[in-house]
Amino acid sequence: MAVSDPFHLAVQVRDIDEARRFYGDFLGCPEGRSSESWVDFDLFGHQFVCHLNPALKDTAVASHKNPVDGHGVPVPHFGVVLEMQAWQALADKLSAHGIAFEIEPYVRFKGEPGEQATMFFYDPSGNALEFKAFKDRETQLFKKA
């Protein structure tokens, strides 16, 4: 997916090979440049970099939860706003592989501006991810109440 202004995001991971398996093999993100201590991925057209932090070997990245629509949303988190069909395919894939969701796939803010399909889960290092979708991403993504 080509985006006009891709973002660059770097996160810490406990194991580079584990990150390659999760982001590359499982989520299907093509790999770019890398070294022994970091690896670039194409995360739906954005530059996403996993940097090794050996101190995470026995612990996960810390986060807290913020209440949104009756759920505790992990913060910080990152992800991508997908088209609805791609979101559903990813939700089905994650469910079929037994991913433990922090927030199961569902539609939040039903009937309101900003109605969206969303799901939250963690990578093996404890980084929280959210993938979401709107019926009409172009008109709904930044729509105010």
Side-chain angles (χ1 to χ4, degrees):
M1 168 190 281
V3 293
S4 60
D5 295 313
F7 67 74
H8 165 84
L9 175 66
V11 300
Q12 53 187 330
V13 297
R14 65 185 182 186
D15 184 288
I16 292 293
D17 290 332
E18 183 178 61
R20 280 189 165 107
R21 287 190 299 275
F22 184 78
Y23 290 101
D25 298 340
F26 182 66
L27 289 183
C29 299
E31 185 174 323
R33 295 178 304 277
S34 67
S35 78
E36 291 182 11
S37 63
W38 57 269
V39 59
D40 283 348
F41 292 101
D42 176 346
L43 181 69
F44 297 91
H46 301 281
Q47 186 185 43
F48 174 68
V49 187
C50 294
H51 287 274
L52 179 63
N53 179 352
L56 292 177
K57 200 65 160 172
D58 298 323
T59 188
V61 175
S63 69
H64 74 276
K65 303 229 171 87
N66 187 42
V68 178
D69 193 37
H71 294 275
V73 170
V75 179
H77 66 263
F78 64 93
V80 177
V81 181
L82 301 171
E83 294 291 342
M84 190 62 75
Q85 185 177 14
W87 179 88
Q88 189 62 60
L90 179 59
D92 292 345
K93 177 181 181 177
L94 295 169
S95 294
H97 283 86
I99 290 292
F101 290 99
E102 178 65 27
I103 299 175
E104 297 274 339
Y106 84 108
V107 176
R108 70 177 169 198
F109 308 132
K110 281 191 176 223
E112 300 176 33
E115 179 178 318
Q116 59 196 258
T118 188
M119 62 182 141
F120 286 84
F121 56 96
Y122 295 93
D123 76 3
S125 294
N127 292 296
L129 292 95
E130 176 188 20
F131 286 84
K132 63 169 78 177
F134 296 86
K135 288 180 185 176
D136 182 357
R137 185 171 59 180
E138 296 303 315
T139 63
Q140 293 179 301
L141 184 59
F142 296 108
K143 187 172 184 174
K144 292 183 179 183

